[in-house]
Amino acid sequence: MTSLGAVFRPQLPPERLRDIARAADEAGLDQLWLWEDCFLQSGVAAAAAALAWTRRLRVGVGLLPVPLRNVALTTMETATLRRLFPGRFAVGLGHGVQGWMGQAGARADSPVTLLREHLDAMRALLRGERVTVEGRYVRLDDVALDWPPGDDPADTAVFAGARGPRSLRLSGEAADGTVLDANTAPDGIRHARYLVDEGRAAASRTGHHEIVHYLSTATGPDAAARLRAERLREGQDPEAGPGVAGGAAAVAEAVAEAVAAGADTVVLQPTADEPDPETFVRFAAEEVRPLLD
């Protein structure tokens, strides 16, 4: 069964999160995903609050930029949230927008190497292993979690955000799932799944690898105009770029197309000028979700 989510965009002030998370939870939405974009909001702090305010909602952070983060601390935060809210916290790592990383004094010469080292160390720590590593960027000396989250695959899973071929193959090799941004069309999902599977084969990985796809979505009387403006902001073709505008049937059709292309979870991403985020998450849960069963 397709899992459906929505994005809480960090361009909204943090104090809006409570009402939106509760609306999503009460309406029966499967997932709510957050971003740690510079220099807006902390993904981990926001996720902790959203989890505490809700009862059943899966909360994901996609993505945490690893140049800003120490792997031991990120793993401790993840393990803590997974013990507090079993089965409800998903975390994705990315190499960060390099301009932002430069502003923060954290830019890496080889972002893909940093992401690989961070993924390898974090997944090992979450599995309860004692880790010593002397990498190009990640250095740990006899580190183990006192409170690892458990041995269920959901407890140890780490996603990677990926777009280019190297990052997608890396995600297949070193991550447990992949987050694809809203600039990915269905053909891009198919190609991403192919490259991820190449990476998995190269690393002899087995088991399921979840693909989470953000789908740019606009609904309401001015939906087409808002989606067109969103595409322009993202440098896409304003008429034929990725995304969907319309009512529940049109959105459900776009979700089904993404699933047919290889997505497991589709997360509806409202436009930057979405006028009513609470209504948007209820629309996703109450109007779109039933059409996917």
Side-chain angles (χ1 to χ4, degrees), residues 8 13-24 49-50 53-54 278:
F8 172 84
E15 57 268 25
R16 296 290 303 276
L17 177 59
R18 183 199 301 260
D19 289 342
I20 294 168
R22 285 182 170 173
W53 289 326
T54 58
E278 288 91 340

Side-chain angles (χ1 to χ4, degrees), residues 8-277:
F8 172 84
R9 295 185 66 135
Q11 289 82 4
L12 293 169
E15 57 268 25
R16 296 290 303 276
L17 177 59
R18 183 199 301 260
D19 289 342
I20 294 168
R22 285 182 170 173
D25 197 47
E26 292 165 3
L29 193 63
D30 301 321
Q31 306 189 28
L32 185 70
W33 281 74
L34 314 170
W35 303 345
E36 189 167 80
D37 277 2
C38 297
F39 296 94
L40 294 165
Q41 298 177 30
S42 160
V44 173
L51 287 162
W53 289 326
T54 58
R55 294 182 298 175
R56 40 152 300 281
L57 192 68
R58 185 194 196 197
V59 176
V61 180
L63 304 159
L64 298 174
V66 295
L68 292 179
R69 297 187 148 270
N70 177 277
V71 67
L73 178 59
T74 303
T75 310
M76 289 163 58
E77 292 171 327
T78 299
T80 299
L81 289 178
R82 287 183 171 169
R83 291 184 71 103
L84 289 171
F85 306 99
R88 293 180 55 205
F89 179 55
V91 63
L93 308 180
H95 50 55
V97 176
Q98 295 311 293
W100 289 342
M101 299 304 99
Q103 284 182 272
R107 186 165 186 159
D109 291 334
S110 180
V112 174
T113 299
L114 170 57
L115 181 57
R116 178 186 292 275
E117 291 182 0
H118 207 114
L119 284 165
D120 288 345
M122 184 169 176
R123 292 178 65 244
L125 289 168
L126 287 172
R127 291 192 299 264
E129 298 176 15
R130 184 168 296 278
V131 179
T132 295
V133 62
E134 185 72 23
R136 179 173 177 182
Y137 298 102
V138 173
R139 298 174 178 86
L140 297 174
D141 181 12
D142 196 34
V143 175
L145 296 180
D146 286 294
W147 297 103
D151 55 9
D152 186 273
D155 293 328
T156 59
V158 182
F159 290 73
R163 181 184 292 178
R166 288 182 64 204
S167 296
L168 286 163
R169 290 190 184 96
L170 168 62
S171 186
E173 291 176 21
D176 304 291
T178 301
V179 179
L180 303 177
D181 68 25
N183 291 310
T184 311
D187 284 348
I189 299 173
R190 291 186 188 91
H191 189 54
R193 173 66 82 176
Y194 174 79
L195 293 171
V196 164
D197 286 345
E198 277 193 345
R200 287 167 57 73
S204 300
R205 299 287 302 277
T206 59
H208 184 62
H209 184 102
E210 183 178 352
I211 299 288
V212 177
H213 170 56
Y214 291 161
L215 176 63
S216 188
T217 304
T219 190
D222 59 348
R226 287 192 290 109
L227 180 61
R228 188 179 190 279
E230 187 85 353
R231 288 168 171 166
L232 281 170
R233 280 191 292 269
E234 293 297 321
Q236 300 288 335
D237 183 330
E239 306 303 332
V244 58
V251 176
E253 183 178 350
V255 171
E257 188 175 5
V259 171
D264 300 290
T265 295
V266 179
V267 182
L268 306 185
Q269 178 178 307
T271 60
D273 55 356
E274 166 58 49
D276 191 342

